[in-house]
Amino acid sequence: MPKKIENVGCPYCGVCCDDLVVTVSDDGRHVLEVENACAIGNEIFHHASGDNRIKLPRLRQPDGTYKDISYDEAVDYAAKVLVKAKKPLIYGFGSTNCEGMAAAAKVAEKAGAVLDNCASICHGSSFLAIFDNGYPSCTLGETKNRADVIVYWGSNPAHAHPRHMSRYSIFPRGFFTGKGHKGRKIIVIDPRYTDTARVADIYVQVKQGQDYDLFNAFRTVIHGEDIPDEVAGVKKEQILEVADILKKARFGTIFYGMGLCHSDGRNHNVDIAISMTRDLNDFTKWTIMAMRGHYNIAGPGVVWAWTTGYPYCIDMSKKDHAYMNPGETSSIDLAMRDEVDAFFNIGTDAGAHFPIEAVKHLKKHPWITIDPNICMASEIADLHIPVGIVGVEVPGIVYRMDNVPIQYRQVLNPPEGVISDEELFERIHQRICEIEAEEGITQTGAAAADTQKSIVGE
Ligand code: SF4
């Protein structure tokens, strides 16, 4: 008899909807129906029971074809690559659970690797601004229950986070926002008239690459000073109108996306956005939040900050300490300079997202992709290891875009024999220890001398 499972989390975008109802077949192998998810979330669950899943690791052969191998053989291959490499890069983690991220950090420390996540190519610039200027943020629940003014700046949730507006920002009725959309003002600031802009009360068309100038104009007006007749393509009257709404809000949230942190100004745009949020708090209550993309891309920042002290771009190649310097220890920069000699791509697609020159350098060395799916990174890898899909076949903790941890459930059994990222990394760690013992390799440096000083902890 089919089983209905409630309160299921969606393993796709950073909204982390946890109100899905999934009906599965009585053998626990097929999803029959998904309720409450958007079209993208729905597809993830149906994909899991599709016929095109890879069920065994695949090793590239000299003639370019793939040959199925066992998990034991794949673990042995991966461990040997890490033992041999002087500076391996372990990158990705947008789509796995925190348990897998913690196990990977242990492997990275053991192997003296650089450990990095997709923030390196998305909201890493936000991290830099937050280090500089703090993060006056809130939870999505607070926005839903309290916010009467919402700003989307350089983000288009109608496409990238389809249920963000209906669950948390524009449409829902909360404790103090009982009128829902009718009680809220929505402002969209973007060079493009997006589908999100269509539902806004006010659309501000900033000139591309001039966000910083517009923030400066808002800050100037908020402080009661005068500005020119036009700034960043926006008329003074509209700047005054918006600034007035911002100051008079009871509670406001600025949701910003890659349009802000990846256009001209990058971390400086986020820095000044935070400064403007702080300015507004002289008058009322304002908060700011990054629109994180993958469902658990906030996870590695939290897990690795606990365990290594840094959220991304963590160089542990010296083995006795962790070190972070984006631009030097960030994945693309390392790859462009051809400084790493093995590459692990986990739960992401560096083949599709990295510049071609970076991919070409990485391809000179062993490339291992760990992913449930076929993607560009799996198709150019020397070894592709499939794993269970977190949130569908593997339970675990994920961090929503507002850094709230959520326990995700398992709704299906993984294909027979397919293991989780966590188990895979634990087995690779174990195999590295065995190889080092067999070959009489000892760690050098303080980390080996005193396990208490382990970078990632246990
Ligand atoms: S909005 Fe995001 S988390 Fe929610 S159902 Fe859609 S894809 Fe999944």
Side-chain angles (χ1 to χ4, degrees):
M1 171 143 178
K3 193 164 94 182
K4 224 171 218 220
I5 305 168
E6 298 187 337
N7 302 323
V8 174
C10 170
Y12 191 77
C13 84
V15 179
C16 294
C17 299
D18 55 355
D19 61 343
L20 275 46
V21 181
V22 180
T23 308
V24 299
S25 58
D26 45 7
D27 63 358
R29 296 222 169 266
H30 298 278
V31 168
L32 304 177
E33 193 183 1
V34 182
E35 295 166 58
N36 298 340
C38 69
I40 311 172
N42 208 306
E43 188 53 34
I44 287 273
F45 286 90
H46 288 293
H47 165 74
S49 15
D51 297 330
N52 56 351
R53 289 288 299 278
I54 305 294
K55 297 177 181 126
L56 275 173
R58 304 180 295 157
L59 183 65
R60 180 83 55 201
Q61 301 300 296
D63 66 0
T65 59
Y66 264 141
K67 178 185 161 207
D68 287 351
I69 60 171
S70 69
Y71 274 93
D72 281 344
E73 289 170 309
V75 165
D76 184 62
Y77 181 99
K80 283 179 176 155
V81 164
L82 286 168
V83 169
K84 195 169 168 213
K86 286 195 169 58
K87 192 168 187 171
L89 170 60
I90 302 180
Y91 166 83
F93 303 97
S95 300
T96 185
N97 56 15
C98 293
E99 292 83 345
M101 292 163 186
K106 240 170 66 177
V107 169
E109 181 188 20
K110 187 81 188 151
V114 178
L115 184 63
D116 197 9
N117 62 70
C118 310
S120 196
I121 58 166
C122 59
H123 275 284
S125 48
S126 296
F127 277 129
L128 298 181
I130 290 165
F131 294 158
D132 277 350
N133 210 3
Y135 195 42
S137 196
C138 65
T139 65
L140 288 169
E142 284 177 286
T143 298
K144 172 188 167 184
N145 287 316
R146 296 181 183 280
D148 58 340
V149 181
I150 305 282
V151 177
Y152 283 111
W153 196 315
S155 66
N156 184 15
H159 289 192
H161 302 84
R163 296 184 71 212
H164 191 268
M165 297 181 294
S166 60
R167 264 172 81 76
Y168 296 114
S169 63
I170 302 182
F171 302 108
R173 297 166 196 267
F175 287 124
F176 309 109
T177 51
K179 291 185 183 158
H181 189 193
K182 289 197 182 111
R184 291 193 178 95
K185 273 262 184 276
I186 312 301
I187 301 164
V188 169
I189 303 176
D190 204 299
R192 299 172 306 151
Y193 186 62
T194 60
D195 283 335
T196 306
R198 287 178 206 280
V199 296
D201 299 293
I202 298 176
Y203 168 57
V204 180
Q205 187 162 35
V206 58
K207 272 195 181 155
Q208 186 147 12
Q210 296 187 17
D211 304 80
Y212 194 94
D213 308 47
L214 188 58
F215 276 115
N216 248 335
F218 278 130
R219 292 191 71 196
T220 305
V221 169
I222 288 165
H223 287 294
E225 303 295 333
D226 198 15
I227 55 170
D229 291 340
E230 186 178 307
V231 178
V234 184
K235 295 266 181 282
K236 178 178 177 178
E237 297 73 42
Q238 193 178 33
I239 294 172
L240 293 175
E241 180 197 358
V242 171
D244 191 53
I245 293 170
L246 301 183
K247 279 171 83 170
K248 288 183 178 157
R250 199 176 58 231
F251 185 109
T253 304
I254 300 168
F255 292 107
Y256 72 92
M258 305 267 283
L260 191 62
C261 63
H262 269 264
S263 56
D264 289 354
R266 292 171 182 258
N267 54 309
H268 301 290
N269 289 340
V270 182
D271 199 281
I272 197 168
I274 293 168
S275 294
M276 187 179 89
T277 309
R278 212 175 43 217
D279 293 345
L280 286 165
N281 276 287
D282 287 344
F283 303 92
T284 180
K285 178 68 185 168
W286 269 87
T287 54
I288 186 165
M289 194 182 299
M291 297 287 282
R292 307 301 302 271
H294 298 289
Y295 69 95
N296 194 23
I297 191 52
V302 176
V303 172
W304 298 345
W306 287 339
T307 51
T308 72
Y310 302 106
Y312 74 131
C313 304
I314 308 156
D315 186 341
M316 294 191 267
S317 59
K318 299 284 186 293
K319 294 207 170 180
D320 59 357
H321 69 277
Y323 163 68
M324 168 195 162
N325 186 22
E328 179 196 350
T329 60
S330 31
S331 295
I332 289 180
D333 300 278
L334 286 166
M336 293 295 273
R337 295 193 304 265
D338 199 11
E339 282 181 16
V340 292
D341 53 358
F343 182 55
F344 280 58
N345 172 101
I346 299 111
T348 189
D349 192 353
H353 304 155
F354 280 14
I356 187 67
E357 284 308 315
V359 173
K360 279 183 186 166
H361 283 312
L362 291 171
K363 265 302 290 168
K364 294 183 205 159
H365 311 287
W367 176 316
I368 297 175
T369 291
I370 298 168
D371 200 293
N373 304 307
I374 294 175
C375 58
M376 283 180 70
S378 72
E379 296 317 283
I380 59 176
D382 299 298
L383 172 63
H384 174 208
I385 310 178
V387 284
I389 302 174
V390 169
V392 182
E393 300 159 346
V394 179
I397 300 287
V398 309
Y399 276 81
R400 204 169 59 185
M401 64 165 64
D402 53 354
N403 291 320
V404 169
I406 299 176
Q407 174 72 50
Y408 268 28
R409 310 182 67 168
Q410 174 185 2
V411 297
L412 287 183
N413 297 320
E416 205 174 324
V418 171
I419 64 177
S420 67
D421 298 272
E422 183 186 12
E423 182 181 343
L424 179 66
F425 278 110
E426 290 294 350
R427 284 171 64 174
I428 292 172
H429 185 269
Q430 176 64 30
R431 187 67 193 119
I432 293 174
C433 294
E434 288 166 7
I435 293 169
E436 288 185 348
E438 285 160 16
E439 298 183 0
I441 301 169
T442 51
Q443 259 191 336
T444 55
D450 183 357
T451 51
Q452 293 301 313
K453 290 181 187 167
S454 168
I455 299 167
V456 302
E458 299 268 339

